Amino acid sequence: MARTRPASPAAAAYADAPLPRGRTGWRDAPWAVIDLETTGLDPERDEIVSVAVLPIDGGRVIPGAGLYRLVRPARDVPAESIRIHGIRPADLDDAPPLDGVLDELLAAMAGRLLIAHAAFVERGFLGPALAARGVQLRGDIADTARLGAVWLAERDHGPAPAQLGLTELAGRLGLPAHRPHHALGDALTTAQVFLALATHLEQRGKLSVKTILMLSRQQR
C-alpha cells in the first residue's frame, strides 16, 4: 500500500526531520515543550483553544523562539473550561481554526523531542490533529509529571504523590509557576521544571534521551 503523502510542506518537513538518537545526552538534544488548553479532557468531543511551544536547545529555554496561538473551536466553549483557563468566546472570535495553525505547530515541533506535563492530554489531542495533515505524532513525549514522581521517590525514599500538578511540582523544585492554565505560562513552567528535573536526575550519571523517555513511561 502506498504511503499517504503529507498534506503540506510543513507536514512533510515534520515527517522527514531526523530526531535525536536514544544515546544522545539530554543537553545535546533539541526539545520542545508543548502545552494545550482545551475545552475538556476528551479528545473525541473536546477541542483545543490555545497552544504554546517553547524550544529548549543546549539545556536552555529559548523564549524568543516560542509559539503561542489562540484557536477558535467549532463548538461553544463550556463555562467550566472558561473558569479554568479564562479564555472567553469573545477572545476566540478572531482566532484561526485549528487547521489554520497546524503548519506553524508542525514547524515548531519538527526535529524536536516533545515535553509536556501529564502528557496524555497533549498526546490525545495532537494525534487526531496531526492526522488532518497526513502525519503521525513522532516519538515518545517526556512527561514532567512522571519525571517529577521519579525524582521525588528517589529523594524521599518513598512513593510520590499519585497526582502531581505542575504548580505543586514547580514549588517542590523551588521554581515559580508562570500564569497557571495559560498555555504559554504553563509551557514556560514546564520547561523550567524539565531542566531542573533533568539536572537532578543526571546526578545518577550520564542522562540520555533514552533514559528520560524510559522514565517518562515508568508507572508511578
Side-chain angles (χ1 to χ4, degrees), residues 136-147:
Q136 294 182 335
L137 182 63
R138 300 183 63 201
D140 290 332
I141 301 178
D143 190 336
T144 49
R146 295 276 179 95
L147 294 172

Side-chain angles (χ1 to χ4, degrees), residues 126-192:
L126 284 175
L130 299 194
R133 282 291 189 273
V135 292
Q136 294 182 335
L137 182 63
R138 300 183 63 201
D140 290 332
I141 301 178
D143 190 336
T144 49
R146 295 276 179 95
L147 294 172
V150 171
W151 167 66
L152 283 170
E154 292 184 355
R155 187 196 70 173
D156 299 338
H157 305 287
Q163 299 293 330
L164 201 61
L166 178 59
T167 297
E168 179 186 358
L169 178 55
R172 294 192 182 212
L173 287 160
L175 298 170
H178 304 275
R179 299 185 68 183
H181 303 298
H182 182 283
L184 191 57
D186 281 346
L188 180 55
T189 303
T190 301
Q192 293 178 333

Side-chain angles (χ1 to χ4, degrees), residues 87-104:
I87 299 174
R88 305 163 301 167
D91 299 323
L92 302 172
D93 285 345
D94 296 326
L98 182 59
D99 184 70
V101 302
L102 279 178
D103 282 348
E104 286 184 283

Side-chain angles (χ1 to χ4, degrees), residues 21-24 26 31 113-114 123 139-150 154 194 201 204 206-220:
R21 296 186 177 184
R23 64 175 178 269
T24 305
W26 78 271
W31 301 88
L113 298 164
L114 296 184
R123 188 180 294 110
D140 290 332
I141 301 178
D143 190 336
T144 49
R146 295 276 179 95
L147 294 172
V150 171
E154 292 184 355
F194 173 78
L201 291 170
R204 303 161 152 206
K206 178 177 170 59
L207 185 64
S208 67
V209 163
K210 180 179 180 180
T211 301
I212 285 180
L213 296 179
M214 179 190 69
L215 293 175
S216 294
R217 295 191 296 268
Q218 186 169 307
Q219 295 298 313
R220 286 176 281 176

